[in-house]
């Protein structure tokens, strides 16, 4: 494909999508580094202070369902936009926003469960296993909050009538980023859940 072909609008859309994927690629490498550090630490400290039978908070299971549902509602919002059903676009965008906020709330509820179990992020009652889980979850929450900001911008632009079936670039970029943070939590959750069974 010749990337120089197309109208100025097509080139602009292509470059923005490319920049988003470059950004997502760098985020994937960052979280891959965290997962690698988690694995290496587990091997080095297995007979010291590494928790073998750690349990993920129940709230993390709830948050997984919430964030997967939010991806579905964003997809439904995009389909409604493709059909120029603007009222349904509004509904699905607000449902997605609500699910995203509920996800962040459930994550903090999960931290509360970890603290109730006696594990803090730092200090004499901290544990390296749980500290890693804190770091991984908090960094992911930061990216979900970035996604929520993007979603709020999309909602604002939607009310300004900037999107329609022929002009969906901003909507698509926000949706792609949102789906990425959703799938990222799915991968992180499954890794943390099943890792305890293989060490």
């Amino acid at each position: 494909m010749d990337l120089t072909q197309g109208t100025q609008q097509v080139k602009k859309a292509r470059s923005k999508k490319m920049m988003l994927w470059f950004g997502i690629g760098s985020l994937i490498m960052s979280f891959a580094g965290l997962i690698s550090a988690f694995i290496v630490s587990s091997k080095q400290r297995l007979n010291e202070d590494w928790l073998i039978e750690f349990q993920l908070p129940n709230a993390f299971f709830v948050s997984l369902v919430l964030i997967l549902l939010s991806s579905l509602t964003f997809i439904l919002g995009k389909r409604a936009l493709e059909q120029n059903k603007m009222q349904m676009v509004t509904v699905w965008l607000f449902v997605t926003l609500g699910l995203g906020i509920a996800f962040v709330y459930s994550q903090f509820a999960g931290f509360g469960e970890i603290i109730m179990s006696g594990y803090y992020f730092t200090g004499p009652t901290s544990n390296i296993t749980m500290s890693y889980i804190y770091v991984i979850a908090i960094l992911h929450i930061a990216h979900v909050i970035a996604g929520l900001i993007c979603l709020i911008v999309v909602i604002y632009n939607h009310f300004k009538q900037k999107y329609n079936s022929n002009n969906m670039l901003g909507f698509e970029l926000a949706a792609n980023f949102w789906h990425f943070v959703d799938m990222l939590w799915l991968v992180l959750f499954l890794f943390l859940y099943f890792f305890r069974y293989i060490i």
Side-chain angles (χ1 to χ4, degrees):
M1 176 193 289
D2 186 355
L3 296 179
T4 62
Q5 289 182 345
T7 63
Q8 193 65 30
Q9 186 176 4
V10 170
K11 291 178 184 177
K12 184 178 179 181
R14 190 185 298 136
S15 65
K16 286 186 175 181
K17 287 179 181 178
M18 189 73 72
M19 288 182 68
L20 174 64
W21 288 115
F22 276 131
I24 286 174
S26 67
L27 291 175
I28 289 172
M29 288 189 289
S30 298
F31 279 94
L34 270 175
I35 288 172
S36 297
F38 186 93
I39 294 170
V40 170
S41 293
S42 70
K43 302 303 181 186
Q44 291 177 341
R45 307 178 73 101
L46 188 58
N47 297 319
E48 297 177 31
D49 57 353
W50 189 267
L51 288 179
I52 297 176
E53 293 296 328
F54 68 88
Q55 297 286 332
L56 289 178
N58 291 328
F60 280 12
F61 290 83
V62 174
S63 69
L64 178 64
V65 174
L66 290 170
I67 204 160
L68 292 177
L69 284 175
S70 72
S71 255
L72 175 62
T73 57
F74 217 145
I75 289 169
L76 293 173
K78 184 181 177 185
R79 286 184 182 173
L81 183 60
E82 289 170 345
Q83 299 168 2
N84 286 317
K85 296 179 178 178
M86 298 307 177
Q87 197 168 11
M88 288 308 300
V89 174
T90 303
V91 170
W92 290 124
L93 285 176
F94 275 108
V95 172
T96 304
L97 181 64
L99 288 168
I101 292 169
F103 169 83
V104 174
Y105 175 82
S106 66
Q107 291 281 282
F108 281 104
F111 296 151
E113 289 183 41
I114 293 173
I115 291 169
M116 289 287 288
S117 299
Y119 298 109
Y120 288 80
F121 178 60
T122 60
T125 59
S126 65
N127 176 275
I128 189 167
T129 312
M130 288 303 178
S131 293
Y132 267 114
I133 292 173
Y134 271 112
V135 169
I136 290 170
I138 288 170
L139 283 177
H140 181 261
I141 289 172
H143 291 90
V144 171
I145 290 171
L148 287 171
I149 292 169
C150 292
L151 183 55
I152 290 168
V153 171
V154 165
I155 292 171
Y156 174 81
N157 287 336
H158 170 63
F159 280 115
K160 290 288 185 179
Q161 300 181 348
K162 291 189 176 181
Y163 303 126
N164 55 56
S165 58
N166 297 315
N167 182 20
M168 299 177 59
L169 178 61
F171 196 103
E172 287 179 339
L173 293 174
N176 288 339
F177 182 74
W178 190 259
H179 296 321
F180 163 69
V181 295
D182 289 5
M183 291 303 103
L184 178 61
W185 180 246
L186 174 62
V187 171
L188 293 172
F189 177 87
L190 292 176
F191 169 77
L192 293 172
Y193 183 80
F194 288 107
F195 184 78
R196 58 188 170 146
Y197 295 113
I198 59 177
I199 56 174

